[in-house]
Amino acid sequence: MATSVQSTTVTGTSWSDLGPLGQAGIITQGFGALSGAIGSFYSAKSEQNKARSLALNLEHKADMLLFNKRMKESQAEFIGRQANKAFQIQSIKAGNRRSSARASFGARGVQMGVGSTKDLFVSSEILATLDKITMNSNKVRAMSNKRLEAVDIGIRADMTSLSASNMFQTASSIDPFFSMSSSLLTGASSIIGSLPPSMFLKKTATNK
């Protein structure tokens, strides 16, 4: 007598087994995942562009600060040169005044280096020396002020340049394609999670 053997039947749900509403829901989720991925790409691209734009602005600002620093240093050198010229002119004028006074006194037969003439020339030398000291002090103070301004601008330029470098690194760390891929994978996982578990079972129904 023949024996009939029936195998165990494992059934799974296929795409065609889903109703129109279920298929529409999955399709809608798919388009939503794709739209989200595209949105993530452009959002990351926008952030990357903003970071690059800020970095370029900071870089330009640093360049302008360095330019201003060089201008301040040039101004300090110019002040020094102008002060030295004024010092030389003042010395020449003082020497001319002394020579004129000596010639005038000599023409009138006044004895030099005695009494009031001695005091007059000593006072003149003292005043000339005080003028030189004052002019030199003003020169040093003005040059120092400009150089201190240059140092301050240089420090700000270095800090701005460092900020620009950091922003360039931030822009480089933003990957729009990675953001898009991550969003797409998240959407795909959500779609898979919403499918009936039976769709992942293989149909193997056979009878013997």
Side-chain angles (χ1 to χ4, degrees):
M1 182 178 63
T3 304
S4 176
V5 179
Q6 184 177 359
S7 64
T8 303
T9 302
V10 180
T11 61
T13 303
S14 66
W15 174 259
S16 58
D17 294 330
L18 294 174
L21 186 60
Q23 292 179 352
I26 293 175
I27 292 172
T28 301
Q29 289 185 54
F31 279 114
L34 182 60
S35 176
I38 294 173
S40 295
F41 174 85
Y42 284 107
S43 177
K45 192 67 177 178
S46 176
E47 292 299 320
Q48 186 183 58
N49 290 336
K50 287 180 182 178
R52 284 178 177 169
S53 177
L54 180 57
L56 290 171
N57 288 335
L58 289 171
E59 191 175 54
H60 175 70
K61 184 178 179 180
D63 290 339
M64 293 303 299
L65 286 171
L66 288 175
F67 174 78
N68 291 335
K69 176 189 174 184
R70 289 191 292 269
M71 289 294 295
K72 293 294 182 181
E73 291 172 345
S74 297
Q75 289 174 4
E77 296 298 325
F78 177 77
I79 289 171
R81 289 194 298 270
Q82 291 299 107
N84 290 337
K85 288 180 181 179
F87 186 83
Q88 292 174 357
I89 293 171
Q90 183 69 17
S91 298
I92 292 171
K93 287 182 177 179
N96 290 337
R97 283 196 298 268
R98 286 194 299 270
S99 297
S100 297
R102 289 180 185 276
S104 177
F105 288 145
R108 287 181 291 173
V110 178
Q111 185 177 0
M112 307 298 295
V114 178
S116 60
T117 57
K118 178 181 179 181
D119 293 339
L120 178 63
F121 279 104
V122 169
S123 298
S124 178
E125 289 292 335
I126 291 173
L127 290 174
T129 301
L130 289 175
D131 286 340
K132 291 178 181 178
I133 292 173
T134 300
M135 292 177 67
N136 187 65
S137 176
N138 291 338
K139 179 189 79 170
V140 171
R141 182 169 57 253
M143 291 181 68
S144 296
N145 288 338
K146 289 298 179 183
R147 284 171 175 161
L148 286 174
E149 290 177 9
V151 170
D152 177 66
I153 293 173
I155 292 172
R156 287 191 284 133
D158 290 339
M159 295 177 65
T160 304
S161 180
L162 179 60
S163 297
S165 297
N166 290 336
M167 289 309 300
F168 275 122
Q169 292 179 358
T170 299
S172 298
S173 67
I174 299 174
D175 187 350
F177 288 101
F178 177 78
S179 298
M180 180 179 68
S181 300
S182 297
S183 177
L184 195 58
L185 287 174
T186 301
S189 298
S190 177
I191 293 172
I192 292 173
S194 67
L195 294 174
S198 58
M199 286 192 70
F200 303 100
L201 299 177
K202 185 177 181 182
K203 289 186 177 182
T204 57
T206 58
N207 291 316
K208 292 183 180 180

